[in-house]
Structures are given as C-alpha cells and as structure tokens.
Amino acid sequence: MHTGRAHIQIIAGFLAILIFLIGFSSNVSAQNRKQDLQKEKQAIEKEIKYTNDLLERTSRNKESNINGLVILKKKINQRERLINTIRAEISLIENEIEETVDSILALNVELKKYKEEYARMIYYAYRNRSSYDRLVFIFSSKDFNQAYRRLRYFQQYGSYRRTQARLIAQTQEELNAKEQELEARRNEKQDLLASAENERSLLQTERSTVNSTIQDLSKQEKQLRSDLRKKRKAVAEMEKAIEKIIAEEIRLAEERARAEASSSTTASGFALTPDEMILSENFASNKGKLPWPIERGIISSTFGEHNHPVLTRVKVKNNGIDILTSEGEYARAVFSGEVTRVISVPNFNNVVIIRHGEYLTVYSNLDEVLVSKGERVDTKQKIGRVYTNKNENKTQIHFEIWKAKELMNPALWLAGKQ
C-alpha cells in the first residue's frame, strides 16, 4: 500500500517537472522568436535607410527615370516586409498579454485561498488566545509523549501561520510584478500599432509616387524604346564576347589536357587539371554561400526574362543581375580564381572575367580596374571600382555566373539578402 502511494508521488513529481519544463521551453522559445523579430526589423530598417540614400541621390536628376522607379519599388517591398514583421511582433505580444492575464487570474485565486486560510487561522488563534488554556491543554496530557505531541502541534501551528503569511506576501509581490509586466506589454503593443500605422501611411505614399513616376515615364516612351534597343545591342555584344572567351578557354584547357595526362574533362566540356578540378568543385559546393560582388547594394534587375518596368507588352532579358550601389563602391571577387580577361564593351565599360575551374564570374560596368589578365585573386579581393553615370546619378554593377557555356542565376549562388 505504501509502495503504491510512493509510486503515485513519484509519477506526480515527474509530471510536475515535465509541465514546468514545457512551460519554460515555451517561454524561452517565445523570447527567442521575439528577439529574432526585433533583429529582423532592425535589419529591414537599415535596408530602407540605405535605399532612401540611393533614392535621394537618384532624385537629384530632375527628370523621372527608371532607376528611381526601380529603387522605389524595392523600397515598397522592404516596407511591406517591415509591416509584416511588426504584425508578427504584435501577434507575439498579444499572446504574451493573454498568458500574463491568465497568470494574474491564477495568482488572484491563489492569493484569495491563502488569505481565507490565514483568516481562519487568525480566528482560531483569537478563539484560543489564552496562554493559560494552552498550558492546561499541555499539562492535562495522560503522559509525557502526549504532552510532547501537543507542544509540537502548537509549534508547527505557529510555523504554519508564519509560512502562510510569507506565501501571501510572495504571491502579492508576484501579482504586482505580473500587473506591471502586463502594463508594459500593453504599452509595447500600442507603440507597435502606432509604428505599423505610420509604415502603412508611408507605404501608401510610396505607392502613389510609383504610379505617378510610371505615368511620367510613359510620356517618354519613344526615348525608353530607343534606350532599350541600345541596351539590347550592348547585351548581345557582351554575350558574344563572353561566349568567344569561353570557347577560347575550353580550347586552351584542351591543349593543356593533351600536355598533362592527369587532366579530366567535365560534362560541360572543360578539361581541368587536378587543381582546377578541386577549385571547380569548391566553387560548386559554395552555391548559396558566395559573398556579394559588392559590399552593399540592392538588386535592380533580376535574372532571366521579365516585363519592362514601364513599357507594356515589352519583355527584357537579363543574363545576370544588376545591383545598384553607392558612388565609389568597389567590385570584389566572389571566389578565388584567375583573371582570364579584362575587356571593354560599349554601355558596360570595363568587364573583368574570373575563372574558377569550369565556372566563370563576370563583373561589368567597372570604371577603374585593379587586376590584369592571368592574375590570381582571392575571395572578396577588390578588382575594380563600379562606374557611376553622372547624368543619372546611378552606380550599378552587372554580374553574371557561367558554368562553361551555360548561364546560371546569380541570385541562387549568392548568400543572404541585399
């Protein structure tokens, strides 16, 4: 019988510990989530500030331009992400408020119970307040053992009263702390609601600005189509030049392979030495982890075919990605390799091509070039300064990744967000 009760007590103890651990884990998880949201919000706010700086420089150009439109759209996207993050934070705080209210209710019930028990003890003590009665009760015992037990009863009863008083004080303190916590959470929620409302207002203003800019640019359709034709011609020339360089690299690699018996030919057609094979495999294994070709910027045009930002029913094709950045920014190698070419292409200024085994990375629209053909470069090494168009106040790098003759989407290879 005693063993059964012991088992029940052990199980009850385990359940109590388990419930505590689950509650503790849930609280830690909520706190971690809250910290993550706050960090994300701060990161987005920094992005918006940087985008504002780019937009401010672009807006010095009195005429509406596609560059400013792209930055505005990027800013709207960032603003929407910020609003969603604030909403998630509000939702988390609402859960915290609900949990705090439940804790306050439970503490009030507990406090009421302690006070009622204490009141009964005080009443009992009042009814039996005479020390003489206690002494008579003790000395009227049949034997010494009974007298001792009655004395211990009075001692334990006094100790229990003191414990009960301490529990009431502790519970009251905990209740006060929870009520202060609730007030802080409600104030935090109000601040976040005000912040979200302000962001929504700014978002509405920015959307109106985008619509206005598109209307202004639509009036320049003739000029936009002329600019687009020039850009397509420049893209075709650069693509042709890159394909010619790749073909030449494959031919040279084959010559090296004939001279070096240990070379291996990849499925893409490149004959690689053992060292080049290792470099190529290392590059491939870093997909999604490569650093950006500049320290900071925003993507202004993504990879592949997509709609023109202004001209209706017009498609534009991008062999890589375009990244807007600050004036004076330097391009940097995304991986170690060898500079295979430094060429000049109309509308793309200087172009640096770096080979990483069977992979090639292309950095276009550079002003000053810091490397030369045949030079070995390390990851994040500066290779040239990005060209700034003074008429448009635009500093933009065009970046491509090739696997032999096949174009890759750079966004899938680069790490993180910009």
Side-chain angles (χ1 to χ4, degrees), residues 67-85:
N67 187 42
L69 178 63
V70 167
I71 297 173
L72 269 170
K73 286 184 175 180
K74 181 70 176 180
K75 191 176 169 187
I76 285 173
N77 176 262
Q78 292 167 341
R79 188 83 65 194
E80 287 171 341
R81 283 170 50 212
L82 180 59
I83 290 170
N84 288 336
T85 303

Side-chain angles (χ1 to χ4, degrees), residues 224-235:
L224 289 174
R225 289 186 181 277
S226 174
D227 293 342
L228 184 58
R229 282 193 295 271
K230 290 177 184 176
K231 186 173 182 180
R232 281 174 173 168
K233 184 180 178 182
V235 168

Side-chain angles (χ1 to χ4, degrees), residues 124-142:
Y124 176 81
Y126 176 78
R127 289 281 304 271
N128 301 276
R129 62 188 182 279
S130 171
S131 300
Y132 175 78
D133 291 341
R134 293 181 190 175
L135 288 173
V136 170
F137 180 66
I138 293 169
F139 285 115
S140 65
S141 302
K142 295 178 182 179

Side-chain angles (χ1 to χ4, degrees), residues 388-399:
T388 297
N389 185 324
K390 298 295 185 181
N391 294 327
E392 298 180 9
N393 290 310
K394 178 172 75 172
T395 306
Q396 179 172 275
I397 184 173
H398 176 75
F399 176 69

Side-chain angles (χ1 to χ4, degrees), residues 36 38 43 73 96 126 147 179 228 240 275 294 304 343 360:
D36 289 343
Q38 288 172 345
K73 286 184 175 180
E96 288 179 350
Y126 176 78
E179 286 174 344
L228 184 58
K240 185 178 178 181
D275 286 344
I294 51 173
I343 60 175
L360 295 100

Side-chain angles (χ1 to χ4, degrees), residues 280-330:
S280 187
E281 289 171 354
N282 286 342
F283 186 91
S285 68
N286 276 277
K287 184 175 183 179
K289 296 181 283 187
L290 296 176
W292 282 67
I294 51 173
E295 276 194 35
R296 197 168 186 189
I298 62 172
I299 294 178
S300 54
S301 179
T302 54
F303 176 81
E305 190 176 76
H306 42 272
N307 294 324
H308 189 277
V310 178
L311 301 173
T312 56
R313 297 185 297 278
V314 174
K315 298 283 185 180
V316 291
K317 182 187 174 185
N318 195 339
N319 287 341
I321 57 173
D322 296 322
I323 306 174
L324 286 166
T325 186
S326 307
E327 184 175 352
E329 193 72 37
Y330 282 86

Side-chain angles (χ1 to χ4, degrees), residues 123-181:
Y123 178 72
Y124 176 81
Y126 176 78
R127 289 281 304 271
N128 301 276
R129 62 188 182 279
S130 171
S131 300
Y132 175 78
D133 291 341
R134 293 181 190 175
L135 288 173
V136 170
F137 180 66
I138 293 169
F139 285 115
S140 65
S141 302
K142 295 178 182 179
D143 52 35
F144 177 78
N145 286 336
Q146 188 181 58
Y148 177 74
R149 285 197 301 272
R150 288 181 177 182
L151 178 62
R152 288 289 296 158
Y153 166 77
F154 282 118
Q155 289 174 341
Q156 289 171 355
Y157 183 75
S159 174
Y160 181 64
R161 278 181 58 184
R162 288 191 294 273
T163 300
Q164 202 70 7
R166 188 174 66 252
L167 283 173
I168 289 172
Q170 287 175 351
T171 306
Q172 186 65 60
E173 285 178 12
E174 193 174 345
L175 183 60
N176 293 339
K178 284 291 179 182
E179 286 174 344
Q180 288 174 6
E181 181 184 332

